[in-house]
Amino acid sequence: MYIGLDLGTSGLKGILIDDAQRVLAEATAPLTVSRPAPGWSEQAPADWTLAAEAVLTALAVHGLGAVRGIGLSGQMHGATLLDAADQVLRPCILWNDTRAHIEAAALDADPRFRAVTGNIVFPGFTAPKLVWVARHEPEVFARVAKVLLPKDYLRLWLTGEHVGEMSDAAGTSWLDTGGRGWSDDLLDATGMTLSQMPRLVEGSEVSGVLRADIAARFGMPAGVVVAGGGGDNAASGIGVGVVKAGQAFVSLGTSGVLFAANDGYQPDPATAVHTFCHALPGTWHQMGVILAATDALNWFARLAGTAAAGLTADLGALQGPGCTRFLPYLGGERTPLNDAAVRGAFIGLDHATDQQAATRAVLEGVTFAIADCRDALAATGTRIDSLLAVGGGSRSDYWLAAIATALETPVSVPVAGDFGGAFGAARLGMMAATGAGAELATPPQIARVIEPVAALVPAFAEGHARYRAARDAIRALV
């Protein structure tokens, strides 16, 4: 058996698989986010270990005596600060915390950061958060002995080891992403040292061995290995078998992600595309990220006083975009805008704009934002030959038909089941325990394929052009 633990923002999920990768059990434990000031987003690392205990307790009901490996997945970019005794110095500053936007802009102005990391320094990344702490909480900064990403704090609890891995480390602004190692120059530029960083391994490698007391507590044998694991999207890529160039998935969750695997390193920071290491050796991935996908639909559902599923249930066959346009920038945008200040809008409203027309506009707006990500990835030379859909939004065939048509790419929908970060983490745990590699990361069984509606391709191309025009006009007003 193998366990995958996925530390998300709203909860921790655990999954138990056997050596045929059949899911035997799963469990979740909720987490909450603290927002003590505008733009702040924090969690207490102690809550993560309590959630892990709850999940392992639930999985242990099924018997864990055959477990050989554990993999970890988690929310990226979080700054978990420890002193020399491994005590947490302050709540973890999360990925969606924007307090360090001034510090991020200053680091991004230093050409070394884009050149070495292959990425813009975004406010949510880890390095600018440490600069913020040094500036605003100097007494805390002076005591920092180790900086860990969220899932790597769970690893410390599980193994007693300070270890990170490449895919998550690539989102800190301290990693030489092409060379797959910490950059002394970038650490020095933020007042940090190599000794404050965890040791790095690949996602499929052994990072440590489960502590004897935890193994005994949950009925696991001695010698269970803990894999390096992956950042949440890299682990999801392992879970859905997106590990080779040309393979991609679109995730329609709270945020939206267009994720493509690459055999080589081909950064282009100016596109606001994330170019990160993948969770397997010698591979990388790129992501276009939009901050509101199902979040935009849920926002409109609240405004309309109905359930999101009800909004999309009766839309019928795909229609071409109407005059009503929606920009989904409810909390800023990453790819391709890199703009924390931009905000969303409905435009082109008229007497004929009813609830269905507005719903279609919301789905189209998110679809065109994903098309923007596709264009940004293409500008770096990344190709997309096949596209899988995951996340809650993938339950809407109308939405998937819009995406397939706008991207002119068929969209495959897996059979019912969870192929996300926890499943990918379990696969990485299996790789670490057995010495296997990418051959374990097979694509899931496909339930159906949503083809582009050829007759509507020109209408969606024209709609995307009008969307971009609206986007640029709205940005000029902010």
Side-chain angles (χ1 to χ4, degrees):
M1 293 176 174
Y2 306 91
I3 293 174
L5 297 175
D6 179 33
L7 174 58
T9 313
S10 60
L12 188 147
K13 179 168 185 174
I15 197 165
L16 180 68
I17 66 172
D18 64 15
D19 55 6
Q21 301 191 34
R22 290 185 295 255
V23 177
L24 304 176
E26 53 185 80
T28 57
L31 293 166
T32 58
V33 174
S34 173
R35 301 186 183 276
W40 291 29
S41 180
E42 300 181 341
Q43 282 181 331
D47 291 345
W48 302 337
T49 56
L50 288 173
E53 289 176 332
V55 164
L56 289 173
T57 297
L59 294 180
V61 171
H62 302 273
L64 303 180
V67 169
R68 296 294 178 267
I70 298 174
L72 301 173
S73 165
Q75 49 171 303
M76 297 179 68
H77 315 306
T80 311
L81 311 183
L82 308 180
D83 67 13
D86 287 337
Q87 297 302 301
V88 176
L89 291 169
R90 65 169 331 285
C92 177
I93 307 175
L94 300 186
W95 61 277
N96 54 354
D97 187 295
T98 59
R99 76 183 74 180
H101 62 95
I102 294 172
E103 291 78 9
L107 296 182
D108 195 49
D110 181 338
R112 293 177 295 174
F113 279 86
R114 292 193 181 191
V116 174
T117 70
N119 292 279
I120 291 171
V121 182
F122 289 95
F125 283 15
T126 319
K129 293 169 182 169
L130 268 293
V131 179
W132 184 94
V133 171
R135 182 171 297 165
H136 296 278
E137 299 176 355
E139 70 289 348
V140 171
F141 186 79
R143 296 176 59 198
V144 174
K146 278 287 187 292
V147 180
L148 297 181
L149 294 162
K151 79 172 192 321
D152 299 330
Y153 183 77
L154 276 186
R155 184 196 322 279
L156 176 63
W157 175 70
L158 290 167
T159 68
E161 301 275 352
H162 303 102
V163 185
E165 52 72 42
M166 306 302 174
S167 68
D168 219 353
T172 62
S173 292
W174 287 314
L175 192 78
D176 177 344
T177 305
R180 303 175 86 93
W182 297 120
S183 167
D184 288 323
D185 280 351
L186 301 187
L187 288 166
D188 184 64
T190 56
M192 304 296 292
T193 66
L194 188 60
S195 67
Q196 292 171 304
M197 297 294 106
R199 172 172 61 88
L200 289 175
V201 299
E202 296 288 352
S204 55
E205 291 180 343
V206 174
S207 69
V209 176
L210 188 64
R211 287 167 35 201
D213 59 320
I214 293 182
R217 178 178 171 187
F218 296 106
M220 286 183 265
V224 173
V225 301
V226 178
D232 48 8
N233 285 298
S236 292
I238 301 296
V240 296
V242 173
V243 295
K244 297 178 181 177
Q247 298 175 331
F249 72 80
V250 59
S251 174
L252 296 173
T254 302
S255 60
V257 175
L258 184 62
F259 178 109
N262 293 106
D263 295 335
Y265 177 56
Q266 49 192 54
D268 186 355
T271 62
V273 165
H274 296 334
T275 302
F276 292 159
C277 302
H278 208 333
L280 294 173
T283 61
W284 286 260
H285 71 265
Q286 289 183 312
M287 292 189 295
V289 178
I290 64 171
L291 295 180
T294 60
D295 206 26
L297 182 62
N298 290 334
W299 167 83
F300 180 63
R302 290 193 300 272
L303 203 65
T306 187
L311 287 175
T312 61
D314 301 319
L315 293 179
L318 184 67
Q319 299 181 30
C323 64
T324 303
R325 281 168 278 176
F326 175 74
L327 302 174
Y329 312 132
L330 300 179
E333 192 56 292
R334 282 205 184 171
T335 310
L337 305 184
N338 184 30
D339 190 338
V342 69
R343 287 297 180 267
F346 267 119
I347 66 170
L349 297 169
D350 61 19
H351 290 295
T353 305
D354 57 14
Q355 183 170 289
Q356 281 201 350
T359 299
R360 287 195 298 270
V362 170
L363 300 184
E364 291 159 6
V366 174
T367 295
F368 292 140
I370 291 168
D372 279 352
C373 291
R374 184 271 317 271
D375 293 344
L377 264 65
T380 74
T382 292
R383 71 179 198 274
I384 295 176
D385 299 329
S386 62
L387 187 63
L388 280 162
V390 298
S394 66
R395 289 192 288 268
S396 168
D397 280 6
Y398 189 97
W399 206 348
L400 296 185
I403 292 170
T405 303
L407 272 60
E408 295 185 71
T409 304
V411 177
S412 298
V413 184
V415 296
D418 190 330
F419 299 100
F423 186 69
R427 282 180 157 180
L428 290 167
M430 188 175 183
M431 292 177 194
T434 64
E439 67 274 10
L440 292 184
T442 53
Q445 182 182 348
I446 300 303
R448 62 192 186 282
V449 177
I450 308 294
E451 297 286 345
V453 179
L456 293 178
V457 167
F460 270 83
E462 193 272 336
H464 188 200
R466 291 191 293 115
Y467 169 89
R468 288 195 302 267
R471 175 194 74 193
D472 295 342
I474 288 296
R475 292 186 80 189
L477 296 176
V478 175

